[in-house]
Structures are given as structure tokens and as C-alpha cells.
Amino acid sequence: MEDEGRKYWLSVAAFVVVFVAVIITFSMFMQQTSNRIVSQSSQYVSDATDQTAKLVSTFMGNTQRDIETIAALASSSSDAAAAATSEEWLLSVSEIAPFDTIDFVDADGMQHSPGRDPVDVSDRAYYQNAMAGQSGIECVLNTRLTHENLVYFYAPVRDGADGPITGLLLAHYNEERLTELLQNSFFGYESHVLLCLYDGEVIAASDGRFTGKNLLEEAALQGGGSGGRQLERAFETREGLTFTYDTAAGVGSACLKSVPGLDWMVLETFPAPATEQMINAANEGGWSALFIIVLVFMVVIVGIIVFNNRRHRRLALSMKDRIDVQTGVGKLTERLVLIDFNQDRFRYMSGPVTPGDPYNLEGSYDEMVTRLTRLVVGEDAKREVAEQFSREAVAAAMVPGVDNLGFEYRLNRCGELKWEDINLICVERNDDGTPARVVYTTQDVTVMKTREKQLQQAMEDSYRAAIAANNAKSDFLSRMSHDIRTPMNAIIGMTELARMSGRDWERVDDCLAKITLSSNHLLGLINEVLDLSMIENGRLVLNMGMVDLRALVDEMETMFAQCCEESGLRFAVDVRHLIHPIVQSDALRLQQIFTNMLGNAVKFTSTGGSITLRLIEHPVRIEGCSDYEFIFSDTGCGMDPAFVEHVFEPFTREHDSRTEHVEGTGLGLSIVQSVVSLMSGTIDVESEPGRGTTFTVHLNLRHGTSARKGNVTHVERADAQDAAKAGAPSVAAGPADGAVAAEASAGGGVSAGAPGAPGAPGAADVAAAEVPASEGVPAPAADPLPGACALLVEDNELNSEIAAALLESLGMTVECAFDGQEALAMLEAAEPGHFAVVLMDIQMPVMNGLEATRCIRASERADLRDLPVVVLSANAFAEDVLESKRAGADDHLSKPISIKDLAATLRGILG
């Protein structure tokens, strides 16, 4: 009932809040309406003041022209001075002129007015101006004749039209005339219009009460404050000012503006009663607001009635929700106990029934702690429970702000060991802040603890694996340092020997050959590391095409037969059941697998041993596919069984006296396994120390088609050569790209007799030799290179010098540019056909090579769009080759540049 009463009063309070909010809204609406009307009245008075200022300016100007006309008539008389001083003439002129009076001031400054004695006005500004030949308007306060504030219009009178000035005519209006001019009203309410000087002196007003007063002084006397200061500043700056003022009748508006052409200002007011009338008219809409207020009140009253009717129903639902929440919490926790420290009691709210270990559902708190101590496993844990769960310990730990205490213990319940999470939650405190009522919950976390232990074990295993990998990499770096320094030592040493050999050309040629061999070895090491980096970063992709497996095996036989013969090894090739030799695969990566596996076999097989390559096609259930089995076996030194388990891991080598002399990085077989996995194949190894090693590769490949059986199509061979030029391992890449990349288990390296060494046939040689003589090879055409002009675009001076020398050795002429922008300028300036080919570097300042190539392909000149472009770059990955082709390049050669590859590429493009 107490809760129901609270809700009722809350509803009443809500009603009051709504009522107050509506009243405030209505008041704000009325205030906004008033502000809008005041702003509108200010605009009205501003527009009216503009019109009044223009009217006064026009009226005064016309009047000034009238007095000038009369002065001209007086000047045209035979005796202008006598006529002008004549009272009859002045009276007669006054009758026909628009002025109230017209006076004459002679040359001595004496003002002659009909019916009055002359007065000396020689000190007046209008006299001095007129005698100087000027006409104008001047306001004179407290005139010497009438002692009034008058506006004089004056013009000089001459003796003849062009004669000397004999005096001036002085005319003015009565105050009533100006008062009529300034009359105005708004909505039937008279407006006050004041004509003032710049010092605030009122010279005329629609209400005569203001004439002769000073507006600024009046404002100061009334405590003008900030408004008075604004008015004073407006007079000083001659700028307009619109402002509001408070009166007993309400809020009025006023505007002060300068009169054009005169040193006067006009002040006009918008009457406060007119403003209030407009506000009252606009507030008639308040009746609509009142209707809204009544409507809102009715809605609120209906809402309160509905709320009271539904209140009991919601109370019942709330009680049910509380019961459901308690039930849900009871299911979430295994045991739910309510503890009352003040009464030293506990009561089980929910918990499992354990016939084998009965317990009391309620009792003293000390009995509960005793039972918990008995269930906990471990003497130390039992002592901790007895201490931590005492009432004193709980009160000391559960200070204000700390409402939850958590514990984890291992308990023995009916012979079953469990980890349980125990929580004490304070739900009520005493006046001194100590816990009075606490909820005790338990939850079985055995599974979580098991997972945590497994996760911890996994993290420890990962840590040990990371340490092992780090050690392997450290060992790899140590070996790489040795393997890199070995060919570098040879390169540097042979360079010095060649320099010392003088004209012993045979000795120099031998040194250069060994420098070339060592350079290829070093390049092979770099390619292996790059391949591994691509694999680890997921950048290794397959370029699918048609591959002739029989031609590929023939290439391997041609390549390795000579190498094996020089090393005293027997090499055999066995092809069985090869029904579909043309397959869809990546020719470059297949070559990489073959050269790596056979290269390893050559390195680790002693003289007198044998190496065998077998290719077997097995049918599969998938139509259009076959399982191709490649077997690479040798009778070499073999591997220890313990090491065979790690043979495909990167950076691993078997430490054995038989293989220590073989150089390598331990990456070859790891790369091969990654390539095979990328092709969705498998690789297995069988090895026995002293007996040899057999690697078996299974690849499930789809059958392909070709115009001529037994040969790789020209497109696929060209793609393979392009990728090989990019620096990826291939047959054509020499020992650095082939055999050197093959080692893994016992290390890698290359020897002077390794496949791909100088003198050994490469892929280009094999490809040339594959065309049967029976097909009728045409006679070779003339060499297109001698005399051809090449544009070499290279920012590195040394690389530019080397490339230029290689091109000139082929009989070509060379012109150089140092960035893409300079190259474009040279091409645009050259005559069509001047350049036969462009050799383009990629990474250059100002404009890189790819951007320059795109500009060439987009040129307006047809000869430049068709001009061959060959990229020469140190970017050696397959995607770099594709990027060059997409930019419009005809070919891509990777640095270091081989003169053989360069010549073949240029002849292929220009031939």
C-alpha cells in the first residue's frame, strides 16, 4: 500500500509538472509574440523616419531654391540695394513668396525687417557666407529680432546679375509651418517627430513642447543609462539608431537618422499605445493555446485514471518478475543462500539435493562455515576458509563501497572434486556501515579452470615454439652471414685479382667468370629469402596457364644431364602412363619444384651415385583431371629419421659432417612445400642415412589443350620467361634462381658444376632447341639492334652507365633521361621514329616509371602510343611484372640485368 500511495502522489506531481510546463509554455509564447511585435514596430518607425528625413531634405532644398530665385530678381533691378531695403518691396515679395517673412541684410550687416528697427547681424555665419557669395540654410537660436528659434534661408543680392554683392535676402518659416511638416501618426496614434541639430538641440517638432529643448540633456536628466549613451554616440557619429523605450502605456520604438544634405537629424517615435494594440491583436491566438492547455489537462486526467486502474495489475506483474529473476539467478548459481549476520542465521534459497551428503537448509552461520571448511580440499585452504569467512573478517573486508567478495576453492562433494566460485554479496547494511544481510552464491567453474589450464599450457607451448623459431632464425642469420660473405669475398677478391692481372686477358676472363658465378650464387640467396617473405605474407599466387609436362621433363633432363655427368653421377628419367601431358598449372612454380628437388639431389649425392626422376599419371574420379606423381630419388647421404620430421621447417639444416661443407640457408624445401600446398598437392619424404632420399609429390591437375602435343604453348613459355626475368626461381634464372633455391634439409648452395652455371643450357636455350628441324625453321632475320636508338630512363648514374654500356655493346645508340618527366619531354621533342625503344626504371624522382609509361600510352601521338617500353627495375616479384604490364609496358626485366636476356628481349620486340 505504501508503494501504491507513492505512485499515486508521483502521478499527481506529474500532473502538476505538466500544468506548470503548459503555463510556462504559454507565457513564453506570449513573450515571443510581444518581442516580435516590438521588433516589427521598430522596423515600421525606421521606414517612417527614412521617409520623413527625405521629405525634410526635399522641402528644404525646394525652399532654398525659392529664396535664390527671389534674390536673383532683386539683383536684376537697377538699384538692387535700394529695392531690397524698401519695406514695400519686401512686403510685396513676402505676399507672393512661400515664406512667412523676408528680410534684407545690407552690406554692413544690418538686418532690415518691415516694421522693425535694423539689427546688426554681421557676426552671423549666414551673413558671412552670403557676402562670400554662398546661399544656404541655417538654424538660429534666439534671434535678435524675435528672440525665437528660426530656420533661415539666405541668398546673396548683387548689383546687377554679375555685379558686386550688396547684401542678402533672409527668409524663414513660422514654427507652425515646420510643425505641420513633421506631423505623422501610426494606426491612429500621434507620433513625435523632432528635427534636431547635431548637438541635440531641437529646432522643430511635431509637438511644440519639445521645440527649443536639447534632446541629449533631456535624456541625461531622465537617467538615460546605456540608452542615453547610445543616443549621444549616434549624434556624435551621425549614424542611425533604432531603439525601444518604456512608458506607462507600454513599450515604444524610436529611430534617429540624419537628414540628407543638411547637418540635422530627425527623431521619430512609434507610439507605445500603437505597439500595445498590435500585441493585443496578435495575442488573440492565445485562445488557441488555452484550448491546447485544456486538452492537455484532459489527456493527463484520463492518463491518471488509466494509470490508477492499471497500477494493481503492474504490481502483480512486478512481483512475478521478481520471482522469475530470483529463479533465474538460482539457475545461474548452483547454490543461493541468504545470510543474516545480526541474527547469526542462514537459509538456503535454492540448491541441489545431495542425498549422499545431506545438509541443513537453515541454521546458524557458524555451522555453515564449519561445513564449508570440511568440504574444501587442502589443509591450507581449510585454514583460509575458517579465517576469511568469519563474521569479523567479512565485516572488515566488506567496507562501504565494497559489496562483493569473491573466492575460488576446490571442494570435495560426495567424492567428486570441483572448482567452485564463491561470492558474498551485501544486500543490506547496518547504520554503522557493516554488512547486515549477505547473499552467498556458488558456481561450478571446473570446466573454466580446465580451459584456463589448457590455455596456459598452450601459451607456454607457443612461447617455447617462438623461442625455437627465434633460435632457428638466429641460426639462419648466422649462416646467411657466412653464405653471403663467401660469394662477396669471391667477388671482391676476383675484382682485385682482375685489376692486378694487367693485360693477362685469360686471367681477367677467368676472374670475371668466377665473379659472375659468385654473383649468381648471391642472387639465389636473395631470391630464397624473398620467396619465403612472400609465402609468410600470403603474397605467393599462382599464374595459371597451359604447361606441357613432357617438355618440362625434357628441359630438366637436358639441364641436369650435363651437370650430373660432370659430377660423376647417373641421371635417369622415367615417364609412365602419361596420357594427358598438357595440364593447367603455373609453369614457373612447377619448374621451381623440379629444380629445387633435383638441385638438392645433385648436391648431396657423392660421385658414383644415381639420381632418378619419375613422372606417373594416375586416373581420378573427377572428370578432366588426373593425379600426377613426381618422384625425385637419389642415392646420396640421406637424413637421420629424427631430422626428417623437421625437414620442411624453414631455417633448419641437419648438422652432420657429411653436409657441413654444403652451403645453404635451410629454406629450399620449405618453399617447395608451400608451393605444393598452394597447388593443393602433397609432398612426402623417405630417407635413410647412407642409402639416399626419395621425395614424392602428388598434384591433382586439370587437363589442358594445345595446338601441338609435346610442346608448351608460346604464350605460357613467354609468361614463364617474364616471371623468371622478374627474379623468381626458374630454369632460366641460373643457379641463383634454381638449384640454390632447392636445398633445405641439409642445406643448400651451388657449386661450380651445379645446373645453371655458366656454360650450362638455360630455359631459353632449351626452348630454342625444342623446335623440331622437320618443321622447317626459317632463316634467321637480320639483327634489328645495331643502329637502333634507345631512350634509357634511369635516375642512378651508375646503373645508367652500366645499362648504356650494355646497349652500346649491342650496336645501339643511347640517349639518357633521369626521371619520367624528362623522358616525356624528350619523346615529345623527338621526331617520329627517332627512338626505337624506351628502357624505363620504376622508382625515380619527380615522376616514376609506371606513371611515365601510362602517359606514353595515353599520348596524342600515335607513334608514341605504339613505342615499345621495357621496364628495367629491381622490383622482382611476379606482381611487379603484372603491374608493369598493366601500366602498358611490353616487357619487364629485373636487375641485375643479363646482357643475354636484354638482347633476347630487345630482338624479340624489335625483330
Side-chain angles (χ1 to χ4, degrees):
M1 294 299 295
E2 182 180 354
D3 291 340
E4 291 182 12
R6 183 182 298 110
K7 292 180 180 178
Y8 175 78
W9 286 112
L10 285 175
S11 64
V12 173
F15 177 83
V16 173
V17 169
V18 172
F19 176 80
V20 173
V22 171
I23 296 301
I24 293 175
T25 302
F26 181 76
S27 301
M28 293 175 61
F29 170 78
M30 299 292 287
Q31 183 62 39
Q32 289 179 356
T33 301
S34 300
N35 294 339
R36 178 173 55 82
I37 295 301
V38 171
S39 176
Q40 188 175 358
S41 65
S42 297
Q43 183 61 43
Y44 286 161
V45 74
S46 176
D47 295 339
T49 305
D50 274 334
Q51 295 177 5
T52 301
K54 293 178 182 177
L55 177 62
V56 170
S57 177
T58 302
F59 177 80
M60 294 299 175
N62 294 335
T63 304
Q64 176 63 32
R65 283 190 289 275
D66 290 339
I67 192 63
E68 290 174 355
T69 301
I70 296 171
L73 289 174
S75 299
S76 63
S77 64
S78 58
D79 188 354
T85 55
S86 170
E87 290 188 4
E88 290 79 14
W89 185 86
L90 292 175
L91 290 173
S92 63
V93 172
S94 299
E95 291 176 357
I96 63 174
F99 304 103
D100 294 323
T101 63
I102 299 179
D103 298 339
F104 176 77
V105 180
D106 58 26
D108 297 326
M110 300 302 293
Q111 180 178 347
H112 301 274
S113 180
R116 289 187 174 88
D117 296 330
V119 178
D120 184 8
V121 292
S122 60
D123 59 336
R124 296 292 192 183
Y126 58 80
Y127 166 79
Q128 298 169 2
N129 292 337
M131 295 305 293
Q134 300 177 9
S135 61
I137 302 172
E138 182 174 350
C139 178
V140 179
L141 304 178
N142 190 18
T143 62
R144 291 172 182 170
L145 283 176
T146 63
H147 303 287
E148 298 176 314
N149 295 337
L150 298 178
V151 177
Y152 278 128
F153 303 85
Y154 61 91
V157 176
R158 299 178 181 272
D159 187 10
D162 298 321
I165 297 174
T166 61
L168 64 134
L169 288 181
L170 194 66
H172 71 86
Y173 287 119
N174 288 333
E175 184 178 341
E176 290 78 14
R177 183 75 65 88
L178 292 177
T179 299
E180 292 175 1
L181 178 66
L182 299 177
Q183 292 294 326
N184 195 8
S185 65
F186 293 93
F187 303 103
Y189 294 93
E190 182 180 356
S191 171
H192 293 300
V193 182
L194 286 71
L195 194 60
C196 308
L197 298 177
Y198 282 151
D199 59 359
E201 194 72 23
V202 179
I203 58 177
S206 61
D207 187 346
R209 294 177 300 170
F210 295 95
T211 304
K213 294 183 179 180
N214 190 292
L215 191 60
L216 296 179
E217 294 176 357
E218 292 294 326
L221 291 175
Q222 296 178 8
S226 61
R229 288 192 295 272
Q230 290 182 356
L231 188 64
E232 183 178 359
R233 187 162 49 252
F235 272 100
E236 290 176 356
T237 59
R238 278 65 165 173
E239 295 179 353
L241 173 65
T242 303
F243 58 94
T244 60
Y245 60 92
D246 296 326
T247 67
V251 178
S253 301
C255 182
L256 177 69
K257 292 192 176 181
S258 296
V259 177
L262 298 172
D263 295 336
W264 300 346
M265 299 193 77
V266 62
L267 175 70
E268 189 164 357
T269 64
F270 190 96
T275 303
E276 291 301 314
Q277 179 180 337
M278 295 173 61
I279 292 175
N280 293 333
N283 283 338
E284 290 178 357
W287 291 105
S288 299
L290 182 59
F291 171 77
I292 294 175
I293 292 173
V294 174
L295 180 62
V296 169
F297 286 165
M298 292 178 61
V299 171
V300 171
I301 292 173
V302 173
I304 291 176
I305 295 173
V306 174
F307 173 80
N308 288 332
N309 290 336
R310 294 182 179 179
R311 184 169 48 191
H312 297 289
R313 192 183 310 166
R314 288 201 302 268
L315 180 61
L317 292 175
S318 177
M319 293 300 295
K320 184 178 182 301
D321 291 343
R322 291 182 181 182
I323 295 173
D324 292 343
V325 170
Q326 181 176 342
T327 303
V329 173
K331 292 181 178 180
L332 180 64
T333 59
E334 191 173 11
R335 288 170 178 79
L336 185 64
V337 183
L338 181 61
I339 301 171
D340 190 330
F341 283 130
N342 293 337
Q343 298 182 7
D344 189 24
R345 302 293 295 174
F346 77 90
R347 182 164 62 90
Y348 268 82
M349 307 300 295
S350 64
V353 178
T354 54
D357 184 22
Y359 54 88
N360 296 326
L361 297 180
E362 59 180 314
S364 70
Y365 177 70
D366 291 337
E367 292 177 1
M368 175 183 169
V369 175
T370 301
R371 170 178 165 75
L372 179 60
T373 303
R374 187 174 67 253
L375 294 176
V376 171
V377 177
E379 294 301 323
D380 293 339
K382 292 179 183 294
R383 286 192 296 270
E384 183 178 335
V385 167
E387 295 174 359
Q388 296 290 340
F389 282 81
S390 66
R391 281 174 293 180
E392 295 77 9
V394 172
M398 198 172 286
V399 297
V402 179
D403 295 328
N404 181 51
L405 299 178
F407 309 90
E408 277 190 1
Y409 292 106
R410 197 177 187 191
L411 281 69
N412 185 351
R413 295 188 182 274
C414 302
E416 184 179 0
L417 298 178
K418 295 181 177 181
W419 279 97
E420 293 189 4
D421 181 36
I422 301 174
N423 284 277
L424 295 177
I425 305 171
C426 181
V427 295
E428 184 179 343
R429 293 183 180 270
N430 297 316
D431 294 339
D432 59 357
T434 58
R437 293 164 65 86
V438 174
V439 173
Y440 169 96
T441 65
T442 66
Q443 187 176 7
D444 189 352
V445 292
T446 304
V447 176
M448 186 183 301
K449 293 291 290 186
T450 303
R451 290 178 180 174
E452 287 181 0
K453 189 173 182 180
Q454 292 174 349
L455 179 60
Q456 183 178 2
Q457 183 63 40
M459 292 177 63
E460 292 177 356
D461 294 342
S462 298
Y463 175 74
R464 286 193 291 268
I467 292 297
N470 186 61
N471 292 337
K473 286 187 178 181
S474 298
D475 186 42
F476 158 75
L477 292 176
S478 177
R479 289 196 304 270
M480 278 296 293
S481 175
H482 173 269
D483 291 351
I484 290 176
R485 287 176 181 275
T486 298
M488 283 300 300
N489 180 69
I491 292 172
I492 295 173
M494 287 297 117
T495 302
E496 291 296 328
L497 289 177
R499 192 177 285 119
M500 295 165 54
S501 298
R503 296 183 177 274
D504 187 352
W505 302 120
E506 183 177 354
R507 177 62 172 169
V508 171
D509 187 62
D510 179 65
C511 291
L512 294 178
K514 291 178 180 178
I515 290 174
T516 301
L517 181 63
S518 297
S519 300
N520 289 336
H521 182 186
L522 185 60
L523 183 61
L525 296 177
I526 296 174
N527 284 335
E528 283 189 350
V529 176
L530 293 179
D531 268 350
L532 182 65
S533 174
M534 292 178 62
I535 292 169
E536 290 181 345
N537 294 329
R539 296 171 55 197
L540 187 65
V541 295
L542 298 178
N543 297 317
M544 304 301 290
M546 300 300 172
V547 181
D548 188 340
L549 295 179
R550 192 182 300 277
L552 179 61
V553 171
D554 290 343
E555 290 181 8
M556 296 300 105
E557 183 177 11
T558 302
M559 173 181 286
F560 285 94
Q562 179 181 354
C563 176
C564 290
E565 182 179 353
E566 293 175 355
S567 301
L569 304 176
R570 296 184 299 277
F571 181 61
V573 175
D574 182 10
V575 180
R576 302 180 185 177
H577 312 297
L578 188 59
I579 301 174
H580 305 92
I582 308 299
V583 297
Q584 297 180 23
S585 185
D586 188 327
L588 172 64
R589 298 304 172 186
L590 280 178
Q591 289 177 351
Q592 187 176 12
I593 293 173
F594 274 68
T595 54
N596 282 5
M597 303 308 299
L598 294 176
N600 270 359
V602 171
K603 287 189 293 182
F604 298 108
T605 303
S606 303
T607 302
S610 62
I611 299 173
T612 304
L613 167 62
R614 293 186 180 88
L615 169 57
I616 306 173
E617 180 181 353
H618 301 285
V620 294
R621 295 183 180 181
I622 302 176
E623 185 177 358
C625 296
S626 295
D627 176 37
Y628 293 89
E629 181 180 14
F630 305 93
I631 303 174
F632 307 90
S633 47
D634 62 67
T635 59
C637 59
M639 294 179 287
D640 187 88
F643 181 74
V644 171
E645 299 179 1
H646 307 281
V647 70
F648 295 113
E649 296 177 3
F651 312 117
T652 56
R653 293 185 59 181
E654 185 177 18
H655 296 286
D656 188 290
S657 59
R658 301 167 300 169
T659 60
E660 286 294 335
H661 65 285
V662 181
E663 297 179 346
T665 60
L667 296 176
L669 285 179
S670 176
I671 295 173
V672 168
Q673 186 193 40
S674 298
V675 173
V676 171
S677 298
L678 192 61
M679 293 181 174
S680 301
T682 61
I683 181 171
D684 301 305
V685 58
E686 295 179 2
S687 183
E688 184 178 347
R691 301 290 298 272
T693 303
T694 298
F695 287 92
T696 303
V697 176
H698 285 272
L699 296 176
N700 198 331
L701 304 176
R702 184 172 294 278
H703 304 155
T705 57
S706 177
R708 300 195 313 269
K709 293 185 178 181
N711 290 319
V712 180
T713 61
H714 295 291
V715 174
E716 281 70 37
R717 186 177 306 282
D719 290 342
Q721 291 172 351
D722 285 342
K725 295 171 185 176
S730 67
V731 177
D737 293 3
V740 174
E743 63 27 78
S745 60
V750 65
S751 62
D765 302 325
V766 176
E770 282 179 351
V771 182
S774 60
E775 295 187 5
V777 179
D783 191 350
L785 301 185
C789 183
L791 176 59
L792 177 61
V793 189
E794 170 64 69
D795 63 318
N796 186 284
E797 294 185 4
L798 181 59
N799 289 342
S800 178
E801 180 182 352
I802 294 173
L806 293 177
L807 293 171
E808 290 172 352
S809 70
L810 298 175
M812 302 181 69
T813 59
V814 182
E815 296 183 20
C816 297
F818 292 94
D819 58 67
Q821 184 171 323
E822 183 180 352
L824 291 178
M826 294 178 65
L827 290 172
E828 292 291 342
E831 295 291 333
H834 176 71
F835 291 110
V837 66
V838 177
L839 298 157
M840 183 79 69
D841 187 22
I842 292 181
Q843 296 186 8
M844 295 182 294
V846 184
M847 179 184 290
N848 64 49
L850 296 181
E851 186 177 353
T853 302
R854 295 188 188 98
C855 293
I856 293 174
R857 293 297 176 243
S859 175
E860 297 180 355
R861 287 174 47 176
D863 64 305
L864 295 184
R865 292 196 300 270
D866 298 333
L867 183 65
V869 178
V870 178
V871 171
L872 304 179
S873 174
N875 298 343
F877 289 123
E879 56 264 34
D880 298 322
V881 179
L882 297 178
E883 183 68 21
S884 298
K885 294 295 183 65
R886 282 194 289 264
D890 296 271
D891 210 335
H892 181 114
L893 296 178
S894 297
K895 299 175 183 178
I897 303 171
S898 166
I899 189 171
K900 180 179 180 181
D901 292 339
L902 179 61
T905 300
L906 294 178
R907 290 189 178 103
I909 293 176
L910 302 180

